[in-house]
Amino acid sequence: MPTAPRSRVAARDELAAVWSEVLAVHPEPEDTFTDLGGSSLEVEEVVARSRITMVAPLEAADFRGDPTLDEQVDRVLERHRGGFRARGASTQRLRPGGSPAVFCFAGAGATVAWFLPLLAGLGGAGTGALAVYGLQAHGLQGRARASWGVRGAARRHLRAITAAQSGGPYLLVGHSFGGIVALEVAALLRARGQRVGAVVLLDTVVDADVALRMWSPGQEGFSAGERAARTAPRPLRLAADVLRAAGAGLIRYDPARQKRVFWELGMRAQRRYRIRDCAAVTVLLTEDAPGQAELWRGLGVPEDRIRHVPGGHLSMVGEAAVHAQVEAILTAAAARSH
């Protein structure tokens, strides 16, 4: 029997993990979603979970005709190939609305779709009428040269932000490494004389090396295939990592590897960056970020702006308590603008 390419195996592992989380059973390549007892409600849950962990997330149409797991992998890979042939947008409007807009920065290797569960929770009187934009790494989902540093990424995002909203106050939300980019964007805006109303950091850590030790590839949503690839001898692995990083955004990798390459780029960028401005910052931390509260206090973030919330590093976006905290912070900041 011929062996499937490793890139295809990684994509299948990633998709199988999402099915398994919802259905509580590990699917085989020839299983269909309904074979395993999946319903239309569980289709919605699988699509939602894929947005959190996959560079090429599922769409409801991917379940049309009740495809096998292998057939669905083909659909995902084809869409990924098609998206990469086009010039991918790093900024997406997630919701139309008024000003001030909310600008959400995705973590390293994550897409703006991660914020969709949070968006559903920002429907109160204070934020429900505000426009929401999502920002992710250049080159993650379409052909574009990747940014190798925090300042470079921030400068590129700044152009899109000021095009969407010409003046302050600016409301910024960042998850994980996206919070580091949001901090630099805030500093650049202030240097231009603009007002930043709020910077909300969701499980953003001060020390990237701490993040590397704490968050295993499994916690970050990487497939079993990608985790297995990390068992290669360290010198060979590091050389391969450098070569893949050089092609980030210009060479089309399979979705699982694309996520890994951009995650590693983000970790390297954060390691070289020094946080320089924590004005208007509120930090929401989960139990996946032990010890970080003290580090943020050391950078000047007041005690009452460092808050512990339920959920894990990835799952926090679906927590009602997190929605309520972000809603309250942004509502207060938006009210001060009037």
Side-chain angles (χ1 to χ4, degrees), residues 37-52:
S39 66
S40 58
L41 288 176
E42 285 161 325
V43 165
E44 293 178 8
E45 187 175 354
V46 165
V47 170
R49 285 176 183 255
S50 76
R51 289 169 176 162
I52 295 175

Side-chain angles (χ1 to χ4, degrees), residues 17-18 24 32 85 98 100 109 119 136 143 148 159 190 205 219 227 231-232 235 250 276 297 305-306 325 328 335:
V18 178
T32 72
R85 286 191 289 268
L119 185 63
Q136 63 191 35
R143 187 174 175 82
W148 281 63
R159 290 193 288 271
R190 292 191 185 101
V205 300
Q219 279 180 282
R227 294 198 296 276
T231 61
L250 301 178
R276 57 197 176 105
R297 282 194 293 272
R305 289 182 175 268
I306 302 171
Q325 292 261 16

Side-chain angles (χ1 to χ4, degrees), residues 134-310:
L135 301 102
Q136 63 191 35
H138 292 81
L140 180 64
Q141 287 188 303
R143 187 174 175 82
R145 186 174 294 279
S147 298
W148 281 63
V150 172
R151 290 190 175 91
R155 284 194 295 268
R156 292 170 79 177
H157 285 317
L158 184 64
R159 290 193 288 271
I161 289 169
T162 54
Q165 181 179 311
S166 59
Y170 289 92
L171 308 180
L172 312 179
V173 178
H175 173 243
S176 193
F177 173 71
I180 300 296
V181 178
L183 285 172
E184 180 61 19
V185 168
L188 293 175
L189 285 167
R190 292 191 185 101
R192 293 185 173 196
Q194 295 290 348
R195 186 157 66 92
V196 177
V199 182
V200 184
L201 307 182
L202 305 177
D203 233 28
T204 297
V205 300
V206 173
D207 187 337
D209 290 318
V210 170
L212 286 168
R213 289 195 299 271
M214 290 192 317
W215 298 329
S216 68
Q219 279 180 282
E220 282 287 305
F222 294 111
S223 68
E226 278 298 294
R227 294 198 296 276
R230 310 309 293 168
T231 61
R234 182 174 172 79
L236 294 177
R237 192 172 71 241
L238 292 176
D241 287 346
V242 170
L243 288 173
R244 282 195 291 268
L250 301 178
I251 297 173
R252 177 178 55 79
Y253 301 116
D254 67 82
R257 181 161 293 177
Q258 183 86 337
K259 176 183 175 68
R260 179 83 208 190
V261 166
F262 276 84
W263 184 75
E264 290 175 340
L265 275 179
M267 293 300 96
R268 291 193 183 99
Q270 184 171 348
R271 192 180 291 117
R272 299 191 300 269
Y273 181 74
R274 292 295 175 266
I275 296 171
R276 57 197 176 105
D277 188 348
C278 287
V281 165
T282 302
V283 186
L284 305 185
L285 298 171
T286 72
E287 62 181 12
D288 285 341
Q292 293 301 308
E294 182 177 351
L295 295 177
W296 282 114
R297 282 194 293 272
L299 289 171
V301 180
E303 185 74 38
D304 64 344
R305 289 182 175 268
I306 302 171
R307 305 169 188 176
H308 296 277
V309 295

